[in-house]
Amino acid sequence: MRSRRVLLVGYEDQDNLGIRYLSSRLLADGHETRIVAFGNDPGPLLATIEEWEPDVVGFSLIFQYMVPEFGAVIRALRGAGVDAHFTIGGHYASFSPEELLRQIPELDSVVRFEGEETLAEVVATLDTGAWRDVDGIAWLDGGAAVVNPPRLGGSPIDELPEPDRRDVDYRAQDLPTASVLASRGCPWKCSFCSIITFYEANGTKGRRRRDPLKVVDELEGLVRGRGVRLVLFQDDDFLAGGPAARRWAVQVADEIVARGLHEEMRFKLSCRSDELRPELLEPLIEAGLCHVYLGVESGDPDSLVSLNKLLEVDAHINAGKILRELDLTFDFGFMLLEPWSTMGSARGNAMFLRDFTADGWVVAGFCRTLPYVGTPMEQRLREEGRLVGPALDAEYRFLDPRVDLLWDFCLMAFEGRNYGRNATWNLLRGLLFDTHLDLPGRERDLGRHTAARALVRASNGVMIDVLEAALDLIEDGDATTVDDPELLELARLARREDTLIRRELATMMLEGRRESMYEALFR
Amino acid sequence: MSNHFTTAGKRYREGTSFPGFGALDVDVSAPTTIDQIAPAFLPDGTTQRGFLFWDTGRRITNLRHVRWTFNHLPDWTNWNATAWYGVGGNGPPQPLVGLDAYWVGQGTLDPTPIDGPGSSFVNGPGAGNTAWPWMGNDHEVRTQWGPATIRALDHLRRSVSDPQLDFSSLMTLIFGGDDSSVFNENDDGLGSSGGVVTGIAATTAQTLSFAQNAGATVMAGYVQPVASKVKFPDSLIELIDEAVLNHLVFTNVDPSPDDLVRLKLIVESIDLVRGERVSEDVFSGLVDAARGMSKAELTRTIAGTKATLARGEAALKSLQAIQAKAPTKVVSAPVRTLGTGQKAAAKRKTAAKSKTAATKRKTATKRKTSTRKR
């Protein structure tokens, strides 16, 4: 087989493990690869292509909303005469290949779902043109999209080489941080999430966990070979899978301790509220667990049903209590509104946020549920005839127009506080994490942490006060449009206070030692 | 003695001198009119720079041709104007409006001039699809999802040590400049400026609108407010009267009542010179005012007061954290050489200290039930 040059282009955020696994898989077949970060300016990418002359350029599309940006860059490259094979992958690409090919007809192929084996086969068959017959791809035949049968079986995760991290200089980072994937898939069927449908499309079931020894081998290489001190487990749910998964997690923890890695690094994981148990967390903490991302999503019973979370609000409260008692920092995802939200469920969520975050241990923030392609929620909204707008940005309106008004108000009042890469919510989460972190050789900064918690209390408090005041105005019928003077004044108050909080936050961050952590970890 | 008028070219945003520009250096001894047309494009090494805007000395304009009319020479001494040149962008146009701020007579300003609450944007459907600030950049507005109406802030300040500036103008920049007309500048109204060329506030609309998918670079100009004339004698008399009426002047202690009066006067004078209002205590009159508030106003006031207190608590905790870390007063002690016994004791002490940390990890090491089988 002829060795090919493959350039992999992806949005780099906490390591793009997707393209790093693709790269290592291609390297194992004897191909040459390079990884470059995606940017809106096609100039640097074109310069790399002209200098290195790849046979294939693979784009990793993580975010559905970035399709126009990817389209613009791909068109610019074709316009500049690049004739390499262009392929693309990711969740949106997997679920909507026809639409994506319609939007970006300059693409030659779409690699759907887990892509390591599929891409390897496409690259191997480029010479003969047989790539068009590869399972798991979609391509354009004379302008018409052809979707080949899916590749069944999923990638053999214990046989895959470790992700290609050749281009990352961890030691140059203020806090050398690497992402690791210890499993793929998720057994839960939350209505807003496409993880299960993504992996089941390959014919696999539930969550596939890697051999704990291989996971810790990877950690050891990163910590002792590359100087990594913080590991972010990017598993969608590190503890999912019942008793067997819990045993597996403890095996990973024990192996970390057995090799003494807990003396050299800390790690973070993500999970659900109802999976947390003190007896499970204790060995993980001993092994270096320092932070948990909790998929709370809602604190209202009706919304939890709509989201198919299959748990009660008490599970969240209990999880928060356990984490505080074990002195673990955490943050959580929260959707104030989902397509079937009512004013009552919104108020329930606001009350939950107030109780859950009152002590400043955790930052309150929220978004609303989006109907991402491939999710049961998108399917249900489609069936109910509620999806509006272009396929790429399919939208819905709430059943009660007052909830629409509430959301419009939230965008107006909390833009910059809750949303955006540099949002106050993100910065505060980073600050709490940083001031609480105790790494070997670096003591926890309790004074700064106490100050950070006070600032978080201030930010949480004003956001929830404003939210509840807006709920009152809208529910009472006092405000019926987003430009209502009282709503405008409330929004001004929220934004003014947020500006002041950010000023105070800036002084705390300057006082700290590694501002870059906030950028790297919490976006 | 004649007045002095100069023009110069500068690189945007670096602010470095751009020697390729045909600078003027003119002595002005009688009322006169001076014209200059800035070239649309000029080479800068291997790069081509385009005209962006003029700082005429009192305002900014994107017109290349400026005509200065000087009729009031006794009112000023030196007049400097600057033509700014920038480098064009690469790649396809983006649905993005970028705003920058400029202090007339001084240079670029880093804070964003965008008045968020006073503007309107259309966000995209995703949680990260915030039109402003776009990707966390509060100088940029994304127009991909709908039109935007952008309002410039009333005031801007470069840093805490600088004065608060007033809005002057808002305009879309054109790479290579605008040739459609002539911009007329003059020295009218400088009579009370003490010989300094002062900027002019509020010369254009404070709002610009952009259609969906529009892209533009916009400059917001700000000027230092004209200093108010401080009536020292009147202020002094009022303050002394007030002090006497309130029986403040009754004894000579340190600081004496005279000192207090002078101090108060100086503080007020500085505020007036900076063009600022004297600030009031945040809580003064709050409760009185609350009696006349509507329910909604009261709700907001309570939320705002709670937030202020909470921020104050955070500031207090920060101060305490800094205090805890502050080095204690160093007392010089005579240098002593440790004997062998003392050295061993010190070593034991250090070992005992590190043992505390080690013991913590020992619990974990006890769990060494390795699953490794190889």
Side-chain angles (χ1 to χ4, degrees):
Chain A
M1 182 175 59
R2 189 177 146 195
S3 173
R4 295 283 193 175
R5 286 184 168 178
V6 182
L7 184 66
L8 295 159
V9 185
Y11 188 72
E12 283 284 359
D13 192 5
Q14 297 182 13
D15 288 347
N16 185 327
L17 287 180
I19 54 175
R20 294 190 183 283
Y21 268 112
L22 291 172
S23 177
S24 61
R25 175 67 186 81
L26 293 169
L27 288 170
D29 275 359
H31 300 295
E32 291 177 67
T33 66
R34 276 194 195 178
I35 293 171
V36 296
F38 176 81
N40 286 346
D41 179 0
L45 183 56
L46 180 60
T48 302
I49 291 171
E50 285 175 343
E51 176 259 321
W52 197 54
E53 297 181 343
D55 303 296
V56 177
V57 182
F59 296 90
S60 165
L61 175 66
I62 297 180
F63 302 113
Q64 181 174 329
Y65 69 84
M66 288 187 77
V67 169
E69 281 90 340
F70 273 72
V73 167
I74 289 167
R75 263 187 292 283
L77 295 178
R78 280 285 188 245
V82 178
D83 61 358
H85 182 100
F86 282 177
T87 188
I88 196 166
H91 274 236
Y92 178 74
S94 298
F95 288 117
S96 290
E98 299 101 323
E99 176 61 21
L100 188 61
L101 287 167
R102 195 185 65 76
Q103 298 253 356
I104 316 177
E106 292 82 3
L107 287 166
D108 293 299
S109 64
V110 174
V111 171
R112 303 177 67 209
F113 307 107
E114 282 181 276
E116 286 90 354
E117 301 310 311
T118 306
L119 181 62
E121 202 177 327
V122 167
V123 174
T125 54
L126 270 185
D127 274 341
T128 62
W131 63 267
R132 293 181 182 83
D133 301 324
V134 171
D135 282 352
I137 70 161
W139 53 286
L140 279 178
D141 185 6
V146 179
V147 180
N148 290 0
R151 172 176 298 272
L152 296 178
S155 297
I157 55 173
D158 269 330
E159 284 144 46
L160 283 177
E162 287 176 12
D164 171 17
R165 297 182 165 103
R166 289 171 300 167
D167 60 322
V168 187
D169 182 2
Y170 293 106
R171 288 193 172 90
Q173 299 174 4
D174 286 337
L175 175 64
T177 303
S179 287
V180 170
L181 205 52
S183 64
R184 290 188 186 183
C186 176
W188 299 99
K189 298 192 173 183
C190 302
S191 65
F192 56 89
C193 181
S194 62
I195 290 166
I196 189 161
T197 38
F198 181 88
Y199 288 103
E200 283 187 344
N202 276 357
T204 62
K205 291 285 175 201
R207 178 174 175 230
R208 291 135 61 206
R209 297 181 295 272
R210 289 171 63 195
D211 178 346
L213 295 181
K214 291 192 172 174
V215 173
V216 182
D217 282 347
E218 187 176 343
L219 295 185
E220 190 170 2
L222 285 166
V223 172
R224 298 203 170 127
R226 306 290 300 274
V228 166
R229 304 194 75 203
L230 180 67
V231 170
L232 309 176
F233 279 111
Q234 299 291 1
D235 304 57
D236 297 302
D237 186 341
F238 193 84
L239 303 177
R246 290 198 285 276
R247 283 195 297 276
W248 171 87
V250 173
Q251 282 178 331
V252 172
D254 284 347
E255 188 62 26
I256 289 171
V257 172
R259 298 194 202 180
L261 292 170
H262 62 298
E263 303 272 20
E264 300 171 54
M265 62 101 188
R266 295 287 175 267
F267 66 89
K268 171 205 160 189
L269 58 80
S270 304
C271 64
R272 281 165 59 99
S273 298
D274 56 356
E275 291 161 346
L276 290 183
R277 292 159 173 75
E279 65 274 17
L280 172 60
L281 287 175
E282 277 159 8
L284 289 165
I285 291 168
E286 284 175 3
L289 174 64
C290 67
H291 188 84
V292 170
Y293 177 87
L294 214 51
V296 169
E297 321 307 357
S298 177
D300 176 77
D302 291 338
S303 282
L304 285 172
V305 171
S306 295
L307 299 173
N308 201 33
K309 282 293 287 185
L310 304 177
L311 50 64
E312 305 285 333
V313 178
D314 281 350
H316 299 326
I317 306 288
N318 190 44
K321 188 166 167 277
I322 291 170
L323 291 166
R324 285 169 169 93
E325 281 171 1
L326 292 173
D327 197 25
L328 272 179
T329 55
F330 72 101
D331 59 320
F332 64 102
F334 198 80
M335 295 179 280
L336 181 80
L337 303 171
E338 38 81 19
W340 295 273
S341 283
T342 61
M343 291 300 281
S345 66
R347 190 175 289 281
N349 270 334
M351 286 164 65
F352 170 83
L353 278 180
R354 188 182 288 285
D355 291 343
F356 199 58
T357 67
D359 62 355
W361 187 259
V362 62
V363 190
F366 59 79
C367 60
R368 74 172 169 133
T369 319
L370 290 173
Y372 284 120
V373 169
T375 61
M377 176 173 287
E378 187 231 9
Q379 184 64 28
R380 182 178 164 192
L381 284 168
R382 193 175 296 286
E383 285 163 11
E384 290 180 8
R386 288 179 59 198
L387 277 188
V388 293
L392 189 60
D393 290 330
E395 259 293 5
Y396 63 88
R397 305 304 287 177
F398 294 102
L399 296 169
D400 180 346
R402 293 178 304 169
V403 184
D404 280 316
L405 174 56
L406 178 68
W407 181 245
D408 288 345
F409 169 79
C410 289
L411 289 175
M412 178 169 68
F414 308 127
E415 171 191 63
R417 197 276 177 192
N418 284 353
Y419 317 115
R421 198 179 168 125
N422 201 27
T424 312
W425 179 60
N426 290 335
L427 298 176
L428 286 172
R429 289 191 302 151
L431 184 69
L432 281 182
F433 175 85
D434 183 42
T435 54
H436 191 265
L437 182 66
D438 72 323
L439 276 169
R442 176 195 188 269
E443 281 179 27
R444 182 172 295 164
D445 196 338
L446 272 179
R448 276 185 73 225
H449 188 65
T450 307
R453 279 183 61 186
L455 196 61
V456 170
R457 272 199 299 277
S459 184
N460 289 350
V462 71
M463 182 190 75
I464 298 164
D465 282 347
V466 165
L467 176 63
E468 288 188 334
L471 273 162
D472 288 342
L473 285 170
I474 295 169
E475 229 172 6
D476 294 347
D478 293 337
T480 53
T481 59
V482 77
D483 57 358
D484 175 87
E486 301 292 0
L487 285 183
L488 288 176
E489 284 305 320
L490 263 183
R492 275 184 212 280
L493 168 69
R495 297 176 76 130
R496 188 172 61 240
E497 287 301 327
D498 187 52
T499 304
L500 295 169
I501 284 164
R502 286 180 78 103
R503 275 188 202 158
E504 209 161 320
L505 176 63
T507 63
M508 286 191 193
M509 286 165 63
L510 286 174
E511 191 199 323
R513 283 162 286 201
R514 294 183 307 271
E515 294 96 88
S516 59
M517 278 183 54
Y518 310 107
E519 267 297 296
L521 303 183
F522 296 93
R523 303 193 264 238
Chain B
M1 196 177 77
S2 60
N3 294 16
H4 201 63
F5 173 79
T6 67
T7 64
K10 282 191 179 176
R11 295 183 183 90
Y12 184 78
R13 299 183 84 233
E14 303 89 309
T16 52
S17 179
F18 186 26
F21 178 77
L24 295 180
D25 191 338
V26 183
D27 286 333
V28 183
S29 54
T32 187
T33 297
I34 299 172
D35 281 69
Q36 187 168 19
I37 303 172
F41 299 97
L42 286 169
D44 185 13
T46 56
T47 315
Q48 185 84 341
R49 283 186 178 267
F51 172 84
L52 295 178
F53 66 99
W54 269 109
D55 171 352
T56 67
R58 303 194 76 184
R59 285 174 280 189
I60 59 170
T61 175
N62 59 6
L63 291 165
R64 287 200 293 126
H65 185 172
V66 178
R67 177 171 298 143
W68 289 266
T69 302
F70 298 130
N71 287 321
H72 309 282
L73 301 189
D75 293 346
W76 58 275
T77 312
N78 291 301
W79 189 300
N80 304 309
T82 308
W84 290 86
Y85 283 80
V87 180
N90 294 320
Q94 296 287 313
L96 208 59
V97 178
L99 270 88
D100 216 345
Y102 185 86
W103 181 354
V104 174
Q106 296 287 333
T108 52
L109 291 163
D110 287 335
T112 181
I114 299 175
D115 174 4
S119 304
S120 64
F121 318 108
V122 180
N123 294 311
N129 295 353
T130 309
W132 180 81
W134 167 240
M135 302 290 277
N137 183 348
D138 60 7
H139 286 68
E140 290 188 342
V141 177
R142 190 82 175 169
T143 56
Q144 179 183 351
W145 304 290
T149 298
I150 302 172
R151 184 180 190 278
L153 287 165
D154 296 336
H155 305 287
L156 211 59
R157 192 195 291 273
R158 184 169 59 182
S159 68
V160 285
S161 57
D162 285 319
Q164 180 171 270
L165 307 176
D166 291 344
F167 170 79
S168 171
S169 55
L170 188 67
M171 68 194 59
T172 300
L173 299 185
I174 300 163
F175 189 61
D178 181 358
D179 292 328
S180 59
S181 61
V182 179
F183 187 83
N184 287 296
E185 190 53 277
N186 60 60
D187 58 356
D188 295 348
L190 288 175
S192 58
S193 71
V196 177
V197 178
T198 53
I200 304 173
T203 60
T204 69
Q206 212 163 331
T207 302
L208 283 177
S209 294
F210 298 90
Q212 183 170 5
N213 288 320
T217 301
V218 176
M219 184 62 66
Y222 287 83
V223 295
Q224 185 168 353
V226 178
S228 307
K229 274 201 163 182
V230 183
K231 295 178 182 174
F232 283 90
D234 289 351
S235 299
L236 189 59
I237 291 162
E238 278 174 27
L239 278 165
I240 291 171
D241 282 350
E242 192 184 335
V244 171
L245 283 172
N246 290 298
H247 307 288
L248 291 176
V249 186
F250 57 91
T251 182
N252 277 327
V253 292
D254 188 15
S256 71
D258 284 1
D259 288 337
L260 290 175
V261 169
R262 278 207 304 277
L263 198 61
K264 174 81 175 158
L265 191 64
I266 290 165
V267 170
E268 284 199 354
S269 303
I270 289 170
D271 281 339
L272 286 167
V273 169
R274 280 184 168 180
E276 293 186 356
R277 273 166 280 172
V278 178
S279 59
E280 289 179 9
D281 176 74
V282 69
F283 300 115
S284 66
L286 200 59
V287 179
D288 272 349
R291 294 196 179 94
M293 286 180 189
S294 68
K295 185 184 162 196
E297 285 169 337
L298 201 52
T299 305
R300 283 199 305 275
T301 307
I302 290 169
T305 308
K306 276 167 65 182
T308 304
L309 292 172
R311 276 190 291 104
E313 192 196 343
L316 177 65
K317 301 288 182 197
S318 278
L319 291 172
Q320 288 169 338
I322 292 165
Q323 186 188 38
K325 278 190 210 160
T328 49
K329 197 174 178 183
V330 179
V331 180
S332 301
V335 179
R336 289 189 301 170
T337 312
L338 293 180
T340 318
Q342 285 168 313
K343 276 181 186 168
K347 207 173 175 182
R348 279 199 300 277
K349 208 172 173 184
T350 317
K353 268 187 185 171
S354 56
K355 205 175 174 184
T356 319
T359 314
K360 283 181 187 167
R361 287 290 161 199
K362 213 171 176 182
T363 325
T365 316
K366 274 184 184 170
R367 301 185 54 84
K368 264 188 182 176
T369 48
S370 175
T371 51
R372 193 177 178 86
K373 293 169 189 165
R374 50 176 68 180

